[in-house]
Amino acid sequence: MPTTPSNPLFLGLDLSTQGLKAVLVDEEGSVVSEHAVNFDKDLPHFGTVSGAVRGPDEGEVTSPVRMWLEAIDLVMDRMKADGVDFSSIVAISGDGQQHGSVYWSPSAPALLSSLDAAQPLAPQLCPQFDAAAPSPLPKELNRVSAFSLLRSPIWQDSSNTNECRALEAAVGGKQALADLTGSRAYERFTGPQIMRIRRVYPEAYANTIRISLVSSFIPSLFLQDFAPIEVSDASGMNLTNILTNKWDDNLLAIVASHPHPPSSAAAEDLRSKLGPDPVTGASPLGTIGAWWVRRYGFSPDTLIAPFMGDNPATLLTLSQPSDGILSLGTSTTFLLSIPPSPSPPARFTTSHILAHPALPGGHIAMLCYKNGALERDRIARGDWARFGAMVAEERERRERRREDTEDWLGFYFGLREIIPPGVQGAFFFRLPILSYPSPPSPPNPITYGAPQRVRAAAFPDALHPLAILRTQLLSILARIPQILPAAAPPLRRLVLTGGGSASPVIRQMAADVFGMEVYVPDGSREAAAVGGAWLAKWAWWRKQQGVGEGLGGRGTFEEMTASLRENVKRVAVPVGDERVRGFYEGMVGVYRTCEEMVVRECEEREGGPLA
């Protein structure tokens, strides 16, 4: 019987685009140490920019696999230098940037199982990185490399648009693919990425015996054997049935055969490369490999749990059921948990449905936008105090005093947007106000006339800061009823993350638009890595409780986290003024009308439906 340390620790790793973070938490869920490696700064010899290499093909974005291995060596060495007692770590999990894929060579099993503890990982598994060398490994070098592709395609890659359209067409269109997998085809999704790898590097694909996601690549190193893919990350591949969480035979055949007719033999070959059907977060993968025990002093009983994608990991650590998470970074991402329901969640071509890593029968709904902080920063021009003052002044005038006979909406799409798909440009609308509700009546919606498209010069300059916050938040508010099942409880609170979450103005605006209390992370900023550590604790805790594999019965994630310290704090509540309450719910209808006008204008400009 393994001996439990007096102070068991749980390691969470986050392999993101720009770096690797390692977080240790204790039994109460509190962070006791953090270590990090920044790829550009700490490993400059790879020549990455924000962790990525662009080219040589148009839209191609990759990361060197050797860089990730050296980062793992480096972060572990830093933990050792700081006196971390590895023997106290009883379980390990974490996350990886979603959609990225790793291609293992036929030599990988032998190289993984025979690691020499006197040597670091990187030189034993991958040749020295050469920026001028092609990504495919020459077959004659198989014996010295565990990888058939030396650079992994990551989520920023957009070189496979043709494969996306071909996959959608093969199953009957975008909506048909979304109904089956939870999402339409996107360039960053792994299925279309594999289609491109087959087309561009056919010999490397043939020389691949296993394809991992970034999230299953990491536990494969700890196990010194191939790890299966976890369900929530697998649902970002366009390869699984979102309702069964199993590989879909037809999709495998299409991806493995295109441009030729689907072949069952090709599908079986791809299935063997992907490994078994995806596993839940409650499925322990095994114990740590001997190399880690000898080199760093881990206990041989250290449990390895599945690793997730970064978005599900963040959701695990920051939210409870009936919470929404709004990430206000360079891009904008909205996440919410969907509890189990007799009816399957609705699927759309403008949103994503992912399997939930720790909620049996549950899902995660996700909305993604490209034009987040990029457009807010452009309007603020570095003067956030002025930006905030302008928002406050316009809100007072238009939401409380209501002195005007018109209002305005502005749409800002510097980059080609995901939601609505394909729109780009700036679009401005005048909204005639036909009537205000008369106090002391309840906060009924304002009655608007038909929106009028106006030129940028006619739009009030002072309104741009408020306008961009309005439309960015209204786009999400308008879509929540679509993605939240009718039987689900209403959202209770909103958790903000990312750079924009530090702004008091944005916090209050979000509270008033969504009509709920707003929270931000409290403590470690590495929410995804903490989520991984919590999943590690869950796997270990279930084993301690004697709970078998699977998600049924006792030993739920919510049961385990009930005893942990909550990682968020409240920073804003909806304004109590009845003139403000209900204001933005009343704008949803006119917002939708304006958005439809934007889509039609872009389609007319481009001469057809937007991709």
Side-chain angles (χ1 to χ4, degrees), residues 235-255:
S235 50
M237 299 176 73
N238 283 140
L239 289 177
T240 59
N241 183 310
I242 190 59
L243 301 182
T244 66
N245 297 325
K246 298 182 182 298
W247 304 121
D248 183 87
D249 291 335
N250 187 41
L251 292 172
L252 295 183
I254 295 166
V255 167

Side-chain angles (χ1 to χ4, degrees), residues 216-240:
S216 58
F217 156 74
I218 315 168
S220 297
L221 299 174
F222 282 109
L223 294 168
Q224 296 180 235
D225 194 7
F226 295 141
I229 294 172
E230 180 271 332
V231 290
S232 68
D233 218 10
S235 50
M237 299 176 73
N238 283 140
L239 289 177
T240 59

Side-chain angles (χ1 to χ4, degrees), residues 22-305:
V23 171
L24 281 174
V25 305
D26 60 20
E27 278 198 279
E28 284 69 47
S30 299
V31 174
V32 297
S33 76
E34 297 186 25
H35 295 80
V37 172
N38 179 279
F39 298 145
D40 293 0
K41 294 178 182 178
D42 294 322
L43 301 170
H45 48 287
F46 289 98
T48 57
V49 177
S50 298
V53 175
R54 299 190 178 274
D57 288 353
E58 183 177 355
E60 187 176 15
V61 185
T62 58
S63 288
V65 181
R66 170 91 182 213
M67 179 180 73
W68 292 341
L69 294 170
E70 289 191 20
I72 293 170
D73 284 328
L74 183 54
V75 82
M76 289 293 167
D77 289 345
R78 287 177 174 176
M79 292 172 69
K80 183 176 182 179
D82 285 347
V84 168
D85 179 7
F86 291 97
S87 67
S88 294
I89 298 173
V90 296
I92 302 172
S93 182
D95 71 277
Q97 52 178 289
Q98 288 189 265
H99 314 299
S101 48
V102 177
Y103 298 75
W104 299 87
S105 79
S107 299
L111 292 172
L112 283 169
S113 63
S114 61
L115 290 170
D116 179 359
Q119 301 294 326
L121 274 178
Q124 299 186 76
L125 294 177
C126 194
Q128 283 284 357
F129 179 70
D130 180 356
S135 180
L137 177 79
K139 290 187 71 172
E140 58 269 22
L141 296 182
N142 266 350
R143 61 183 180 80
V144 296
S145 176
F147 306 98
S148 54
L149 281 180
L150 303 181
R151 294 195 292 273
S152 288
I154 62 172
W155 66 274
Q156 294 172 321
D157 188 283
S158 61
S159 61
N160 58 338
T161 301
N162 290 339
E163 282 75 16
C164 289
R165 302 292 81 81
L167 180 58
E168 290 171 343
V171 299
K174 300 174 185 177
Q175 186 60 57
L177 187 62
D179 288 339
L180 178 59
T181 70
S183 302
R184 56 168 284 192
Y186 289 92
E187 283 81 357
R188 65 186 186 276
F189 274 43
T190 323
Q193 285 289 340
I194 293 172
M195 293 173 75
R196 178 183 178 272
I197 294 298
R198 284 187 54 254
R199 173 174 60 83
V200 179
Y201 304 126
E203 292 185 359
Y205 179 81
N207 192 38
T208 296
I209 66 163
R210 191 65 171 258
I211 300 173
S212 292
L213 296 183
V214 176
S215 60
S216 58
F217 156 74
I218 315 168
S220 297
L221 299 174
F222 282 109
L223 294 168
Q224 296 180 235
D225 194 7
F226 295 141
I229 294 172
E230 180 271 332
V231 290
S232 68
D233 218 10
S235 50
M237 299 176 73
N238 283 140
L239 289 177
T240 59
N241 183 310
I242 190 59
L243 301 182
T244 66
N245 297 325
K246 298 182 182 298
W247 304 121
D248 183 87
D249 291 335
N250 187 41
L251 292 172
L252 295 183
I254 295 166
V255 167
S257 307
H258 180 76
H260 304 293
S263 157
S264 58
E268 283 306 308
D269 179 56
L270 178 54
R271 183 186 291 274
S272 71
K273 295 179 192 295
L274 293 170
D277 284 324
V279 299
T280 70
S283 308
L285 303 180
T287 53
I288 201 165
W291 182 85
W292 300 89
V293 176
R294 294 170 185 155
R295 186 169 178 84
Y296 292 106
F298 282 95
S299 165
D301 300 311
T302 302
L303 192 65
I304 308 301

